[in-house]
Amino acid sequence: MKKAMQFRDLQKQYKVLQPEIHSAMREVMDSSNYILGQQVDELEKLLADYVGRKYCISCANGTDALTLALMAMDIGPGDAVFTSDFTYFASAGCASVLGATPIFVDIDQSTFNLDPNALEENINDVLQEGKLKPKVIIPVDLFGLPCDYDAINSIANKYDLKILEDAAQAFGAEYKNKKTCSFGNISATSFFPAKPLGCYGDGGAIFTDNKSIDSRLRSLRAQGKSQKDKYDNREIGMNSRLDTLQAAILIPKFHALKDYELEAVNNIANAYSNVLNDKVTTPIVPNDYYSSWAQYTILLQNEVQRNQVKEALAKEDIPSMIYYPRGLHQQEAYNNMHLTDKDYPNTVDVCKRCLSLPMHPYLEDKDIEKIVKVVNGNL
Ligand SMILES: *Cc1c(COP(=O)(O)O)cnc(C)c1O
């Protein structure tokens, strides 16, 4: 039987990288050094070098990476943390679990990323209300596209805020010749299997140039231990480490990403955009930006058309996803904040019209042709 088309084909990638991945895993088993083995150090050095940061601290997943970073910034009750309204829940959940208050910022529809003008308005609103202290901005590099860091940096400087970059979806992307995971005070990423750089389970990493934050994060990921003694606990931390096996799997996958997968996804994005009908809004990559294409997300003309296209694709066994069906301000978990749709017009509109098409480095021309034919034929 012919295998159905995959939204992100992890099996195809595995087949290509199988010999390297198997020998990397075997090495870990031969040494039986499962926690913080040598491959974890090796991966941290490789990734820090690649993104242009001094330090990389790996951990158990992307959500922990964000939470640990906020812990290292001493964020807690009474603090306001600004993030995009249109993102995966973890971008805000990391603030809430520490007792801080996430403030959702409406997006720029052309990039799907938070709108710097809306961000400044939100900061002023919080200051005017006087209940919370603005502390951190968490810009999310959504779908693989970096945020406008010049604009965000200048706002952070003006209001004396820290920046925690959520690059969970954008490892390998660039803004003005700088790699994601290098922006702001601290950056976080995820190695969830479907992310641009994914492992075979959960994984994540934190990046910084600050030596004392590096040591604090290494302590926080291991129950707040002191540098020398695992049983000397200096503060409340977590158990959040990257398994040696996952690090070993990530090393060959990192080389594949760098050597040809990033180029492949960029070619595929261009191929899609060149042939999709003009009635479809295709994703843009502004000058001086480079995307790592975690998602290829189009906008249809209205909700009815979006749902029709999705159904037509499903009929042909083509998977597609709605990233995201609602903004964070609409999540039941944040009902108690009493937020209204009218403050988030761009997110609300995009949630009705967005559709993410299959995207991964091993997608073939004939698959793209088939997908585009269904989309163009159902407008
Ligand atoms: C996936 C993701 C996370 C969380 O990563 P996990 O490894 O799944 O915990 C955080 N932020 C964004 C934007 C994500 O897409």
Side-chain angles (χ1 to χ4, degrees):
M1 208 182 78
K2 208 177 144 286
K3 208 177 118 238
M5 198 191 296
Q6 302 290 299
F7 187 70
R8 190 168 184 96
D9 199 335
L10 297 173
Q11 244 163 25
K12 232 179 231 178
Q13 186 200 42
Y14 172 57
K15 277 193 189 132
V16 173
L17 299 175
Q18 200 173 45
E20 289 110 297
I21 288 176
H22 282 192
S23 75
M25 290 177 77
R26 204 170 306 122
E27 251 179 68
V28 176
M29 263 96 89
D30 282 339
S31 77
S32 296
N33 205 347
Y34 296 115
I35 304 290
L36 298 182
Q38 151 227 315
Q39 289 85 347
V40 175
D41 284 340
E42 192 186 326
L43 178 76
E44 289 180 347
K45 286 196 184 80
L46 267 177
L47 300 189
D49 246 27
Y50 176 73
V51 305
R53 283 281 206 191
K54 285 195 182 132
Y55 307 102
C56 167
I57 306 94
S58 59
C59 64
N61 56 66
T63 307
D64 283 2
L66 290 164
T67 309
L68 287 162
L70 291 180
M71 287 166 84
M73 290 173 167
D74 295 305
I75 296 307
D79 295 335
V81 175
F82 300 84
T83 193
S84 176
D85 188 45
F86 188 64
T87 178
Y88 180 61
F89 191 77
S91 308
C94 61
S96 303
V97 290
L98 297 176
T101 305
I103 305 291
F104 309 126
V105 180
D106 201 13
I107 57 165
D108 176 338
Q109 289 204 350
S110 68
T111 60
F112 299 113
N113 284 332
L114 68 74
D115 173 4
N117 296 317
L119 170 65
E120 190 159 9
E121 281 171 31
N122 279 298
I123 295 168
N124 281 312
D125 287 349
V126 169
L127 286 170
Q128 216 149 42
E129 229 198 353
K131 287 188 187 144
L132 299 167
K133 249 190 108 165
K135 284 278 181 70
V136 184
I137 305 164
I138 305 184
V140 183
D141 305 327
L142 204 76
F143 302 153
L145 187 72
C147 292
D148 180 351
Y149 283 101
D150 282 352
I152 293 168
N153 283 334
S154 82
I155 293 170
N157 287 336
K158 183 169 166 191
Y159 295 93
D160 195 22
L161 305 179
K162 293 210 162 81
I163 295 175
L164 164 56
E165 178 192 12
D166 180 349
Q169 298 186 9
F171 193 85
E174 287 175 30
Y175 170 77
K176 301 200 169 173
N177 293 316
K178 278 187 72 189
K179 292 253 170 14
T180 51
C181 292
S182 74
F183 298 101
N185 305 77
I186 307 182
S187 312
T189 198
S190 163
F191 304 130
F192 180 80
K195 308 278 172 162
L197 177 59
C199 59
Y200 288 168
D202 278 310
I206 314 159
F207 298 85
T208 182
D209 292 317
N210 182 311
K211 190 170 195 295
S212 65
I213 290 191
D214 170 65
S215 332
R216 182 129 182 245
L217 286 168
R218 283 178 199 286
S219 165
L220 284 168
R221 76 173 173 186
Q223 316 282 7
K225 74 179 185 71
S226 74
Q227 221 166 357
K228 301 226 166 66
D229 182 355
K230 189 176 166 183
Y231 303 103
D232 171 16
N233 306 85
R234 305 287 172 89
E235 64 175 321
I236 311 295
M238 295 196 209
N239 173 23
S240 185
R241 296 165 301 207
L242 181 71
D243 293 341
T244 311
L245 265 172
Q246 298 299 351
I249 291 162
L250 280 162
I251 292 168
K253 298 226 318 168
F254 163 70
H255 288 295
L257 177 83
K258 178 168 70 70
D259 294 345
Y260 55 87
E261 288 185 352
L262 281 171
E263 196 185 332
V265 286
N266 275 279
N267 289 337
I268 290 162
N270 285 334
Y272 264 135
S273 297
N274 286 338
V275 287
L276 279 165
N277 189 294
D278 284 348
K279 288 183 197 153
V280 174
T281 306
T282 54
I284 61 149
V285 179
N287 279 340
D288 276 340
Y289 288 66
Y290 182 74
S291 177
S292 53
W293 295 106
Q295 304 297 342
Y296 183 88
T297 302
I298 57 173
L299 291 177
L300 284 311
Q301 285 169 316
N302 53 53
E303 190 171 16
V304 173
Q305 189 185 62
R306 189 268 310 272
N307 295 345
Q308 273 166 1
V309 170
K310 187 167 189 356
E311 261 171 53
L313 288 166
K315 256 193 210 135
E316 300 289 326
D317 274 330
I318 299 168
S320 65
M321 301 292 288
I322 297 174
Y323 292 132
Y324 292 92
R326 60 186 70 79
L328 294 183
H329 79 278
Q330 297 168 310
Q331 293 286 4
E332 192 173 330
Y334 290 122
N335 268 356
N336 61 346
M337 294 178 78
H338 305 294
L339 300 166
T340 65
D341 283 358
K342 76 170 178 22
D343 290 328
Y344 301 94
N346 292 322
T347 300
V348 170
D349 179 49
V350 160
C351 289
K352 290 181 180 144
R353 298 196 290 129
C354 62
L355 191 65
S356 302
L357 302 179
M359 174 50 106
H360 60 83
Y362 305 89
L363 195 65
E364 291 175 26
D365 288 344
K366 63 169 173 37
D367 294 332
I368 299 171
E369 259 170 53
K370 189 177 164 192
I371 296 161
V372 168
K373 198 170 154 211
V374 177
V375 175
N376 285 347
N378 281 278
L379 300 173

